[in-house]
Amino acid sequence: VAWQGEPLEFGRRVQAEARRRGLAQTQAVFVVADGSVWIWKVQQDRFGRAQGVLDFYHASQHLWTVARALHPQDEAAARAWVEPLLSQLRHGQEKGVLQTLEDLPAWCVRRRRAVPPEVERERDYFQSHREHMHYEAMAARGCPVGSGAMESFCAQMQGRFKRCGQFWSA
């Protein structure tokens, strides 16, 4: 389904297509998406019984943002901080990652450093998606933990529609 209008109308169209393809007969429904609020609103509105999964790549980008805010001049230190967390996140230890993020202000205070603004923003991001980060459990159920296939499809569609010489009407 491709749609340029309002997100809720997109959701209605996706739900109609999913029903046409057998949504009512499925045992499990997964929504794998980035952190965009509109996507999660569509999931709640149209696919309430679906299990939401935050795209792992997007989650990792947000952890890297924290790592670079904590170690702005030292990429090796940022990597040393983030890589264990990425492994924990991917392998069923998401609670530990959330706790590490919660503990960061105290970590900064102990080091006599100001808490970077990115820390609070990203901590809130992860808290808002805490129910969408059960990567190991979702993978065990056969759910993809990344939205790469959809991201690639969207890029192909945009390239086709926006290519030089392309003109389209509604």
Side-chain angles (χ1 to χ4, degrees):
V1 174
W3 179 251
Q4 277 190 300
E6 290 294 317
L8 291 178
E9 175 61 18
F10 170 74
R12 188 191 67 73
R13 289 169 181 245
V14 169
Q15 184 186 44
E17 182 63 16
R19 284 182 177 157
R20 189 181 75 73
R21 292 177 179 252
L23 176 66
Q25 287 79 38
T26 62
Q27 292 183 4
V29 177
F30 303 107
V31 173
V32 182
D34 65 23
S36 297
V37 172
W38 74 268
I39 296 173
W40 299 105
K41 287 183 178 180
V42 166
Q43 185 251 331
Q44 290 171 355
D45 182 56
R46 293 293 169 169
F47 300 95
R49 70 180 182 104
Q51 173 69 51
V53 180
L54 177 65
D55 172 79
F56 185 79
Y57 178 77
H58 285 90
S60 70
Q61 287 180 311
H62 285 266
L63 276 178
W64 270 103
T65 297
V66 175
R68 290 186 176 116
L70 295 173
H71 305 284
Q73 304 299 320
D74 190 347
E75 187 70 13
R79 181 176 299 281
W81 183 86
V82 79
E83 284 184 345
L85 293 175
L86 291 171
S87 180
Q88 289 173 23
L89 189 61
R90 180 62 182 87
H91 296 102
Q93 300 169 22
E94 56 276 352
K95 287 182 182 177
V97 173
L98 292 170
Q99 188 61 56
T100 297
L101 294 171
E102 285 298 316
D103 294 342
L104 281 178
W107 183 88
C108 290
V109 168
R110 285 193 304 272
R111 285 160 181 75
R112 294 190 169 98
R113 296 173 48 190
V115 179
E118 296 90 345
V119 167
E120 182 115 0
R121 184 185 70 229
E122 299 301 338
R123 192 177 65 189
D124 291 346
Y125 175 85
F126 280 97
Q127 279 300 324
S128 70
H129 289 291
R130 67 185 168 280
E131 295 305 319
H132 303 142
M133 298 187 304
H134 304 294
Y135 298 110
E136 186 175 68
M138 291 295 99
R141 292 178 63 194
C143 175
V145 296
S147 61
M150 184 54 65
E151 298 273 353
S152 174
F153 174 72
C154 290
Q156 289 175 35
M157 294 297 288
Q158 286 191 16
R160 184 164 186 198
F161 290 131
K162 295 179 180 178
R163 191 175 301 144
C164 289
Q166 299 295 311
F167 298 95
W168 303 93
S169 66

